Amino acid sequence: MDVIVARDRADLAKAMDVLGEGRVALVPTMGALHEGHRSLIRLAHEHADHVVVSVFVNPLQFGPDEDFARYPRTLDADLAVCDEENVGVVFAPSADDLYLPDRQVGVSAGHMGTIVEGAFRPGHFDGVLTVVLKLLHLVRPDAAVFGAKDAQQLLAVRRMVADLDLDVEIVAVPTVREADGLARSSRNAYLSPAERDEALALSRALRAGVDAAASGADAPAVLAAVRGILDAADGVEVDYVALVDPATVEDLAPGAVGSGLLLVAARVGTTRLIDNATVEIAPATRADDPAGRAPAPGGTA
Ligand code: AMP
């Protein structure tokens, strides 16, 4: 195996020296690597000479009743994936190496960290941003790669980079799905075969929302299309369905026009899944004007 494994920050510093000159791209993960992560690594190679993957199940981003203890930890398999994908360094520290026992200071995700997913997972985005900032400081990459699968996380990272003047390029990768639409996730490993079938309702519901928007539905009708599928699905307990502004994560107004981000979170058995899709809300067509679009508000056309 050629990949260098760094188990603590001292190892990491040595490994980065071994990599030598050239651009570095960081792919932060919690391990249990799957096709989605591979896609991040492949894009990372396009942005850099060396790819560093971090594998760290970050305790800070899990609530007390969440799945931190049972989260899949498969380091040997992850190293094999990284080796296949020509990763230069895997940084897989322990929590004790990464966090001081008397740690006090962390990053706040601000208001964006308290809404939608953040309302269901208090402190989650603060924990994510704190570990991402630490990893950026330790690895000092030129680029860092994140998945659109965790849409609100990607937005929060972009906000942190802007608000804290971080000198790193953030690269986003579209969600990688199984052939039947299920978004790849390390948590899919928790699903029984029957639950896996039930979980398909999430991507089906999002597709219904995208289709509704494409046929001219406004924001409330898009949300109703998504809700309709999820409410009718067996075994799916919805945490939220939201249609938000892709820049702020604030709910779109009923009459909003343009790009929206559809976000869903639901529990299937004991597994909590999230998924999202981008929709385009068209201006309303006027019933009395079969040929055309309503004029823009305040417009004269
Ligand atoms: P995780 O290991 O789940 O924390 O994910 C690590 C990174 O991989 C995050 O940036 C995720 O958004 C990304 N990721 C996870 N699943 C997928 C997927 N199905 N498609 C694209 N990116 C993903």
Side-chain angles (χ1 to χ4, degrees):
M1 206 178 266
D2 292 329
V3 63
I4 306 172
V5 186
R7 297 307 306 259
D8 58 33
R9 55 178 73 211
D11 278 359
L12 176 68
K14 280 184 232 148
M16 297 308 293
D17 279 348
V18 174
L19 285 187
E21 293 293 297
R23 273 176 66 86
V24 171
L26 170 67
V27 181
T29 82
M30 297 204 300
L33 301 183
H34 50 67
E35 262 323 297
H37 299 111
R38 281 187 194 259
S39 152
L40 268 62
I41 294 169
R42 288 174 194 158
L43 193 61
H45 279 297
E46 292 178 25
H47 286 258
D49 305 296
H50 307 291
V51 175
V52 177
V53 171
S54 59
V55 173
F56 180 62
V57 185
N58 175 30
L60 251 54
Q61 69 190 69
F62 287 79
D65 300 325
E66 294 182 0
D67 57 343
F68 175 71
R70 76 160 174 156
Y71 197 85
R73 289 162 171 86
T74 60
L75 186 60
D76 288 344
D78 295 344
L79 294 178
V81 168
C82 289
D83 200 48
E84 270 172 37
E85 299 292 340
N86 295 315
V87 170
V89 176
V90 171
F91 180 42
S94 66
D96 288 345
D97 181 63
L98 214 55
Y99 294 117
L100 296 173
D102 58 347
R103 182 190 75 83
Q104 296 196 32
V105 174
V107 179
S108 163
H111 176 65
M112 185 188 263
T114 66
I115 55 179
V116 197
E117 180 75 354
F120 282 82
R121 304 189 69 187
H124 169 70
F125 289 111
D126 296 355
V128 168
L129 294 187
T130 299
V131 81
V132 168
L133 185 63
K134 283 170 72 75
L135 292 169
L136 292 173
H137 283 321
L138 290 167
V139 176
R140 303 237 157 242
D142 300 281
V145 186
F146 294 86
K149 156 78 169 46
D150 297 278
Q152 195 171 350
Q153 168 175 289
L154 172 62
L155 289 168
V157 168
R158 286 196 190 283
R159 256 294 15 130
M160 173 172 75
V161 167
D163 286 345
L164 301 185
D165 303 307
L166 303 185
D167 187 16
V168 64
E169 177 193 2
I170 301 301
V171 178
V173 175
T175 301
V176 176
R177 297 176 182 280
E178 311 243 14
D180 57 11
L182 183 69
R184 300 259 184 181
S185 164
S186 305
R187 290 189 168 95
N188 292 351
Y190 301 149
L191 299 169
S192 69
E195 288 170 343
R196 196 198 166 287
D197 278 350
E198 292 168 349
L200 288 174
L202 274 76
S203 51
R204 209 158 12 97
L206 288 171
R207 231 173 8 249
V210 172
D211 291 346
S215 33
D218 62 5
V222 168
L223 282 169
V226 178
R227 269 271 172 201
I229 303 248
L230 289 173
D231 289 347
D234 282 334
V236 177
E237 291 289 327
V238 176
D239 274 354
Y240 60 79
V241 176
L243 178 53
V244 303
D245 182 323
T248 62
V249 205
E250 296 286 0
D251 284 334
L252 281 190
V257 165
S259 291
L261 183 60
L262 259 178
L263 299 167
V264 300
R267 283 160 288 124
V268 179
T270 56
T271 306
R272 188 171 181 282
L273 299 172
I274 60 171
D275 200 351
N276 70 85
T278 304
V279 296
E280 282 300 320
I281 311 280
T285 48
R286 282 197 308 198
D288 61 347
D289 178 13
R293 299 288 188 188
T300 52

